Amino acid sequence: MSAEVFDDRRCFLGEGPLWHPARGQLFWFDIIGQKLLSRDDSGPLEWVFDEPVSAAGWVDQDHLLIASASALWWFDLRDGARKQICALEQETAATRSNDGRADPWGGFWIGTMGRAAEPGLGAIYRYFQGTLRKLIGEVTIPNAICFAPDRSYAYFTDTATQQLMRLPLDRDGWPSAAPELFIDLGPDDLNPDGAVVDRNGTLWVAQWGAGRVAAYALDGSFLRAVTVPGVHSTCPAFGGPDFSTLYVTSARQGLPAEAAHDQSPHGQTFAIHGVGEGAPEPRVIL
């Protein structure tokens, strides 16, 4: 099973892939490039913002919720119109948004971090029914936000800790207990980045610096890994007509110039067909 190039544009920090189930279209971001990217039958598409953008959820056929450094936005894919939904750490210019994902209740979780990954400067929030609420503080690099199919847990990581955490949720999707350690990747010196859960509850985790996405069972045991050419694999998303294709973003950030040259695969977005049994992302309810 091999990865093919889905899009050859080389993002400095590719992130946040989202398969829009109503459009049958993949969207993703170059955070540092301040761009939302996609492609359709006409070819590559991009929308440029005036600050970093990092994650999205789908609202309906033509609209996304987009997280930027300073806010959550309603965004119109037809004409690029945008409207602020709520502020996000606008009191400080030192942070930006990072990983985020819609939850099964129609909410949206978003992590923030220091622009230079300053220790403990970030947090994880949930936007739900018109309110943004901080859930977890003192995070360095929030990633791997995703949800168990039975709605029992949210998963997340602070990449700097090399630990994947599991957070019990109540019937309305709010934390019901303290986070608990799910998988410790420290002994293997692996760095968890973005993640997604398939319909069977398997957790698929991109591992920064390892050029792969690794799959873990419900008990946290390692199942297998799929390789991508971009050494800094950043985030996976299931998509395609039957949600069996795994799309993976990657980054050039942090690589030496000789490795991140214009002909390298680093920063490209990849597709691996027939990997697993994904499911559509939930719709964000505004």
Side-chain angles (χ1 to χ4, degrees), residues 80-215:
R82 63 201 73 173
K83 178 175 64 178
Q84 182 173 303
I85 295 171
C86 70
L88 180 66
E89 297 188 355
Q90 287 185 359
E91 70 281 2
T92 175
T95 62
R96 64 164 174 84
S97 62
N98 199 51
D99 189 64
R101 190 178 295 275
D103 70 31
W105 295 265
F108 188 78
W109 292 45
I110 183 65
T112 63
M113 61 178 286
R115 290 181 184 241
E118 295 89 341
L121 201 58
I124 296 176
Y125 298 83
R126 184 191 191 203
Y127 177 82
F128 186 60
Q129 296 182 343
T131 300
L132 184 72
R133 177 173 146 191
K134 182 187 287 189
L135 304 179
I136 300 166
E138 298 184 356
V139 179
T140 300
I141 307 175
N143 270 312
I145 295 171
C146 53
F147 305 91
D150 65 1
R151 304 187 177 196
S152 57
Y153 294 101
Y155 299 96
F156 72 93
T157 187
D158 181 344
T159 298
T161 69
Q162 299 184 304
Q163 295 180 336
L164 285 152
M165 307 300 291
R166 191 168 64 177
L167 181 63
L169 301 176
D170 67 19
R171 61 184 298 175
D172 297 314
W174 295 107
S176 60
E180 57 193 39
L181 178 63
F182 182 53
I183 304 169
D184 186 359
L185 297 177
D188 296 319
D189 197 25
L190 292 169
N191 302 299
D193 205 306
V196 67
V197 180
D198 68 20
R199 67 175 66 249
N200 300 313
T202 300
L203 182 67
W204 296 79
V205 186
Q207 294 172 338
W208 177 273
R212 71 178 201 168
V213 179

Side-chain angles (χ1 to χ4, degrees), residues 234-260:
T234 55
C235 193
F238 282 104
D242 59 358
F243 293 92
S244 66
T245 298
L246 191 69
Y247 295 94
V248 186
T249 50
S250 68
R252 292 183 291 124
Q253 186 180 44
L255 292 174
E258 59 270 22

